[in-house]
Amino acid sequence: MNLPNKLTVLRICLIPLFLFFMIVPLSFENGQILCRVLAAVLFLLTALTDFLDGYLARKYKLITDFGKFLDPLADKMMVLGALLGLVVLASSDESVMGSVYMRLTALSGLVVLFRELAVTSLRLAASGSTGVVIAANILGKVKTVSQIVFVMIALLEPIVFGKLLPLLFPPLGIVAEYHILSFTGMAVMSVMTVWSGLGYFKAYFPLINSNK
């Protein structure tokens, strides 16, 4: 197994770890803060392996069938797992916008899920019909970055703007109370998710023969 594939396997192994800290907060004082920080660090490390394995595979021509199968699967597991964890966290949110935030987090997660299912189905259909392999385009990469950024914001906003910065300037607490940055990140992620999905269908759906 080459290095890029080892990084992909590592990414899959890290997913249950950051999900554990997202979903099962430690019960001691400030345990939830520690869990969020650990989850954010582990998620960022997981995301970095995503970029690193692709870079190494392309640079050193280490692209394999195993990697083609496992890498996109690991990416989807990483993002969808993190969004599921955020929904669980949001369900216990007691802030002013907590109820709305939980519902919109779940809705944005469904948008990501439906997009991934649709694009994956399109890839399979196009490959089976014409043999064309649909590679990730720039919109798809921006979509992935927006998803990673949203997860990091959602994990750290309650700590940075709910605990730390208000000690220096109390009015900043409104950012966490109303989830201002999280809502912004969620909106950007949702737009890029839909936009990139529509781009794939506009480019490749005509390749599918509806008569077969």
Side-chain angles (χ1 to χ4, degrees), residues 136-174:
N137 58 22
I138 186 62
L139 282 178
K141 294 177 181 178
V142 173
K143 176 267 301 181
T144 300
V145 171
S146 71
Q147 292 171 343
I148 293 170
V149 169
F150 166 63
V151 172
M152 293 296 295
I153 290 174
L155 285 172
L156 297 178
E157 184 181 46
I159 300 172
V160 177
F161 289 94
K163 303 289 184 181
L164 300 179
L165 292 183
L167 295 176
L168 302 175
F169 187 59
L172 287 176
I174 195 174

Side-chain angles (χ1 to χ4, degrees), residues 79-152:
V79 172
L80 292 173
L83 292 175
L84 175 61
L86 290 180
V87 172
V88 174
L89 284 177
S91 66
S92 60
D93 193 301
E94 298 179 353
S95 64
V96 173
M97 297 293 289
S99 179
V100 174
Y101 178 64
M102 187 271 289
R103 287 171 171 76
L104 289 180
T105 301
L107 180 60
S108 64
L110 287 174
V111 169
V112 173
L113 175 62
F114 291 157
R115 184 267 185 200
E116 297 300 341
L117 290 174
V119 172
T120 298
S121 299
L122 176 65
R123 282 193 167 104
L124 291 173
S127 177
S129 178
T130 64
V132 173
V133 177
I134 301 177
N137 58 22
I138 186 62
L139 282 178
K141 294 177 181 178
V142 173
K143 176 267 301 181
T144 300
V145 171
S146 71
Q147 292 171 343
I148 293 170
V149 169
F150 166 63
V151 172
M152 293 296 295

Side-chain angles (χ1 to χ4, degrees), residues 13-33:
C13 293
L14 287 172
I15 293 170
L17 287 178
F18 74 69
L19 277 176
F20 173 81
F21 289 110
M22 291 176 73
I23 297 175
V24 187
L26 302 177
S27 58
F28 60 82
E29 185 178 2
N30 295 325
Q32 187 174 21
I33 294 176

